């Protein structure tokens, strides 16, 4: 009852806002619109965070730099204080990534590049385990398939965040954790790639074995 996970309706895209038992917060992605006239960060994500009484994001995770995950984040970077940002190593030099680099350099925000095997201790009983990507990145549809995949563990509750990984990444993850499939098991699964048919293979679903997707 002390851990709150908000799925924010950003239209096309992902955005999750988490408030921890010790009142730290974690923002994962921020949606994004392809329309120049509409900024989902300004219209939805920023008001949502401010309405809950926060003017700082303690931990910000950007799964990858597709517009519908990072578009709204750029406004958040400009408008709020940011503690730490976690991203994966970028294989493609996208326009959004360049904008991001410019803002974090300008505002001197701490950015950490994480990969499989890294563990982030948020607070007592609350950790985040980075499960993907590995050093040798996937070349096919690189932004999606090398997105951050991580598991939030709070006591005996867990949640798996999968960004936009597709079948090829799911299969590689299953192979990687073949001898330690418990690592993937989670109470809740954030379905990859907005539930599209490119992802959530039956084998992956069986391995995670969630109560809720």
């Amino acid at each position: 009852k002390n851990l709150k996970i908000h799925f924010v309706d950003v239209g096309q895209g992902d955005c999750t806002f988490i408030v921890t038992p010790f009142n730290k917060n974690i923002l994962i992605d921020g949606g994004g619109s392809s329309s120049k006239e509409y900024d989902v960060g300004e219209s939805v994500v920023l008001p949502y965070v401010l309405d809950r009484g926060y003017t700082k994001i303690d931990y910000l995770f950007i799964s990858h730099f597709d517009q519908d995950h990072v578009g709204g984040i750029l406004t958040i970077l400009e408008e709020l204080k940011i503690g730490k940002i976690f991203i994966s190593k970028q294989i493609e030099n996208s326009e959004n990534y360049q904008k991001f680099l410019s803002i974090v350099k300008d505002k001197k925000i701490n950015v950490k590049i994480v990969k499989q095997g890294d563990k982030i201790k948020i607070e007592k009983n609350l950790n985040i385990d980075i499960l993907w990507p590995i050093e040798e990145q996937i070349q096919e549809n690189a932004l999606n398939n090398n997105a951050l995949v991580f598991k939030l563990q709070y006591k005996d509750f867990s949640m798996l965040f999968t960004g936009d990984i597709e079948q090829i990444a799911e299969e590689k993850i299953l192979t990687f954790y073949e001898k330690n499939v418990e690592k993937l098991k989670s109470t809740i699964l954030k379905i990859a790639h907005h539930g599209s048919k490119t992802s959530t293979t039956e084998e992956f679903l069986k391995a995670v074995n969630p109560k809720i997707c």
Side-chain angles (χ1 to χ4, degrees):
K1 67 183 181 183
N2 295 323
L3 176 70
K4 298 185 179 74
I5 301 173
H6 305 243
F7 290 101
V8 187
D9 183 355
V10 286
Q12 165 70 26
D14 278 10
C15 181
T16 311
F17 182 66
I18 298 170
V19 179
T20 75
F22 287 93
N23 206 32
K24 288 179 181 168
N25 66 61
I26 304 165
L27 182 65
I28 304 164
D29 291 339
S33 170
S34 53
S35 160
K36 294 275 189 282
E37 287 75 53
Y38 182 74
D39 180 346
V40 74
E42 188 181 9
S43 302
V44 179
V45 186
L46 184 61
Y48 196 93
V49 172
L50 293 173
D51 281 353
R52 275 142 197 85
Y54 297 94
T55 53
K56 179 189 176 188
I57 300 295
D58 296 307
Y59 301 94
L60 173 58
F61 288 81
I62 300 171
S63 67
H64 63 302
F65 283 83
D66 271 349
Q67 177 65 17
D68 55 357
H69 288 254
V70 78
I73 291 292
L74 299 173
T75 301
I76 296 295
L77 295 178
E78 296 277 19
E79 299 293 333
L80 297 180
K81 283 184 185 167
I82 309 290
K84 285 182 181 170
I85 301 178
F86 299 92
I87 64 171
S88 61
K89 183 179 173 186
Q90 294 306 296
I91 196 168
E92 279 184 20
N93 209 350
S94 61
E95 188 185 339
N96 281 326
Y97 185 49
Q98 287 307 314
K99 284 183 196 166
F100 165 80
L101 289 177
S102 171
I103 297 169
V104 295
K105 186 181 175 187
D106 192 43
K107 297 192 78 176
K108 298 181 174 61
I109 304 171
N110 183 1
V111 178
K112 186 165 172 52
I113 294 173
V114 291
K115 63 180 186 307
Q116 185 280 323
D118 289 339
K119 194 184 192 88
I120 300 150
K121 186 170 174 56
I122 304 293
E123 61 191 34
K124 186 185 175 189
N125 296 323
L126 184 57
N127 297 302
I128 286 177
D129 285 327
I130 308 294
L131 304 180
W132 192 257
I134 55 174
E135 200 67 58
E136 191 184 322
Q137 296 200 329
I138 298 172
Q139 301 299 314
E140 185 185 316
N141 209 351
L143 276 182
N144 283 350
N145 283 314
N146 298 296
L148 281 182
V149 175
F150 54 90
K151 182 171 163 179
L152 178 146
Q153 186 81 44
Y154 174 61
K155 297 183 179 175
D156 57 357
F157 168 85
S158 57
M159 179 158 176
L160 189 65
F161 292 89
T162 55
D164 272 2
I165 60 165
E166 298 172 352
Q167 180 172 349
I168 185 171
E170 289 183 355
E171 286 169 355
K172 284 185 180 289
I173 288 169
L174 289 172
T175 303
F176 194 90
Y177 291 100
E178 201 171 8
K179 293 193 172 88
N180 192 9
V181 82
E182 282 297 317
K183 270 272 189 197
L184 301 176
K185 286 204 184 334
S186 297
T187 320
I188 297 179
L189 169 65
K190 195 293 293 181
I191 293 285
H193 212 188
H194 324 283
S196 45
K197 64 183 177 182
T198 56
S199 316
T200 322
T201 55
E202 194 173 340
E203 294 76 13
F204 191 74
L205 210 46
K206 274 182 186 166
V208 179
N209 194 24
K211 289 184 179 172
I212 305 168
C213 299

